[in-house]
Amino acid sequence: MPLRPATALAMAALACVLAGPPTSQSLAATDQPPAASLEIPAALVDDLRKVVQQEVALISLRSQNGRHAGIAQAEIDALDKQWRDETKAATQPLIAQLMGSPLSSYLIDMKARSLGLFVEIFVMDEKGLNVGQSSITSDYWQGDEDKYLKTFAIGPDAVHYGEVEYDDTYKIQKQQVSFPIVDPADGKALGAVTFEINLTELERRS
């Protein structure tokens, strides 16, 4: 989908902070993990807040929060089980519906524009249920995980950093960072987002 002017400017600002000439080694950059001391800088998190707090995310979150306002935990569990089952099935109606949403299209485009920096991006609503994602996640409900419990459940300014992991397939270090998506109208959190960052690519650009 075409990017709105504000979105394009935010993406350009992020590119200015992180830009490095792309190479064919962006994902498989090294056979050895980078230094364990590598961290996601706060400036990057600030930029990520800007590029994700866009109209497509805000509208999607408000809409899904309204639909799920009275959802029971049993229904959440059933949806999560359906999603998990669909990841191993040929027919995937719930996954197809979510992957075809405007927000998922936006996140897929954002991941592609990062040129290997973003491994995965997904947005969750106020219940912890996925609203949009750049690729198929292993589960649909994040409400029992720290990416939700230590962000949306804490407050608008919360940030949670996951453990650094080594991906042996791509030979990269990666780490998740999660934070709330805030409604500019009232300053309250509408949901949360998780970015999985390719630390090896981030180090290459530094």
Side-chain angles (χ1 to χ4, degrees), residues 172-183:
I172 61 169
Q173 290 275 22
K174 58 186 183 180
Q175 182 181 21
Q176 291 186 344
V177 59
S178 306
F179 50 84
I181 297 178
V182 177
D183 191 334

Side-chain angles (χ1 to χ4, degrees), residues 9-201:
L9 288 173
M11 289 298 294
L14 179 60
C16 288
V17 173
L18 301 171
T23 73
S24 60
Q25 299 178 334
S26 292
L27 279 179
T30 176
D31 288 332
Q32 298 296 327
S37 60
L38 186 64
E39 298 178 350
I40 298 174
L44 173 56
V45 177
D46 290 341
D47 285 324
L48 295 180
R49 288 186 188 275
K50 297 172 186 174
V51 298
V52 79
Q53 192 173 350
Q54 299 296 324
E55 185 176 2
V56 65
L58 300 177
I59 290 174
S60 298
L61 281 165
R62 291 177 188 133
S63 177
Q64 185 157 305
N65 285 342
R67 294 196 306 274
H68 288 164
I71 193 170
Q73 185 61 47
E75 187 175 355
I76 290 174
D77 293 341
L79 286 169
D80 191 50
K81 181 180 184 305
Q82 179 184 348
W83 181 278
R84 291 172 183 268
D85 290 344
E86 286 185 14
T87 61
K88 297 171 278 189
T91 303
Q92 302 174 312
L94 180 58
I95 290 175
Q97 179 184 6
L98 202 65
M99 291 302 297
S101 73
L103 179 55
S104 289
S105 296
Y106 175 71
L107 298 178
I108 290 168
D109 182 68
M110 187 188 299
K111 177 184 173 182
R113 286 170 178 261
S114 78
L115 301 174
L117 183 65
F118 302 149
V119 179
E120 182 179 35
I121 317 166
F122 53 92
V123 171
M124 64 204 87
D125 67 13
E126 64 183 4
K127 304 293 186 182
L129 292 164
N130 287 4
V131 185
Q133 56 213 12
S134 64
S135 54
I136 299 173
T137 54
S138 60
D139 51 5
Y140 181 56
W141 184 51
Q142 318 298 332
D144 59 345
E145 300 180 27
D146 285 346
K147 58 178 64 71
Y148 170 86
L149 296 172
K150 294 187 177 180
T151 60
F152 179 85
I154 298 297
D157 298 324
V159 179
H160 173 67
Y161 296 89
E163 296 293 328
V164 175
E165 299 179 359
Y166 183 66
D167 188 319
D168 191 55
T169 300
Y170 294 107
K171 309 301 181 186
I172 61 169
Q173 290 275 22
K174 58 186 183 180
Q175 182 181 21
Q176 291 186 344
V177 59
S178 306
F179 50 84
I181 297 178
V182 177
D183 191 334
D186 57 16
K188 295 181 180 179
L190 288 168
V193 61
T194 294
F195 284 84
E196 188 166 62
I197 306 297
N198 178 345
L199 296 178
T200 305
E201 177 65 9

